[in-house]
Amino acid sequence: MAKFNLLIALPPLLFGGLAGLFMFGMGREDAEQLPSSQIGRAAPSIEGVGPLGELAPLSDDMLRTGGVKLVNYWASWCAPCRAEHPQLETLAEEGVTIYGVNYKDETDNALKFLNELGNPFAAVGQDEPGRTALEWGLYGVPETYILNAEGEIAYRFAGPITVEIMEKYIKPEIAKAGQ
């Protein structure tokens, strides 16, 4: 009787397992959205961010008081941040409080970015070393967090906010966080 070699069966088994993972990932409601362990938890401290020039500085108290608010991590060197900026301005014009955290950026470049495109942020902080971003679980910029009135993270969106994403996800999540 022939002896069965496990090494021959390994590639098809690995392929089947990988295909199963891909199918599971594609079957999620929002296959592009990355999971976050921060949902439902108090927003991490923002005390580690510094001021950005003469702009209104972001403080930890701002995240813990008031109504629903957004925290947007962005950078001047980030092309998707530039693409999402008009949507942030629209949300700000509609009365949504948005706090900005400038990520691993030079002050002059960040200020030039806001002077050129407009400033939708009620207050801004600068996380030049990127340490605060790690505590928030940041994957990269742009990334937006919706906080409820108690300062808990209600929703997280990684990537640029387009008009479609704003209407389909961001606005409904803002409304849900306000309930």
Side-chain angles (χ1 to χ4, degrees):
M1 186 162 193
K3 186 176 175 184
F4 182 72
N5 188 346
L6 286 176
L7 290 177
I8 292 174
L10 191 59
L13 289 174
L14 287 175
F15 176 78
L18 190 58
L21 284 173
F22 287 151
M23 292 300 291
F24 172 75
M26 291 181 355
R28 294 184 316 187
E29 184 176 313
D30 182 6
E32 293 183 14
Q33 186 62 4
L34 299 169
S36 175
S37 63
Q38 302 285 8
I39 304 298
R41 295 183 179 179
S45 174
I46 206 88
E47 293 296 332
V49 301
L52 181 62
E54 300 296 320
L55 298 176
L58 181 59
S59 73
D60 206 52
D61 289 340
M62 292 175 177
L63 304 183
R64 318 271 172 233
T65 59
V68 174
K69 66 223 46 101
L70 270 62
V71 176
N72 178 261
Y73 276 83
W74 62 280
S76 66
W77 46 262
C78 164
C81 297
R82 185 173 289 272
E84 85 168 353
H85 204 79
Q87 283 66 252
L88 295 177
E89 288 194 309
T90 298
L91 288 168
E93 289 168 6
E94 292 175 358
V96 176
T97 301
I98 307 173
Y99 298 122
V101 180
N102 182 249
Y103 176 72
K104 291 189 174 185
D105 206 349
E106 294 181 20
T107 301
D108 290 342
N109 292 341
L111 292 171
K112 182 179 175 187
F113 179 94
L114 293 177
N115 285 334
E116 180 184 330
L117 298 177
N119 184 1
F121 305 119
V124 184
Q126 187 171 30
D127 187 16
E128 192 171 353
R131 287 188 190 103
T132 301
L134 290 175
E135 293 173 20
W136 282 69
L138 191 80
Y139 281 94
V141 288
E143 199 157 309
T144 304
Y145 297 83
I146 298 174
L147 287 95
N148 63 21
E150 290 77 38
E152 299 168 339
I153 296 175
Y155 184 76
R156 174 184 152 273
F157 186 82
I161 297 172
T162 63
V163 173
E164 179 184 352
I165 287 168
M166 183 174 67
E167 297 299 329
K168 188 174 180 181
Y169 298 107
I170 302 299
K171 286 183 177 181
E173 290 295 336
I174 289 171
K176 194 181 340 177
Q179 296 175 348

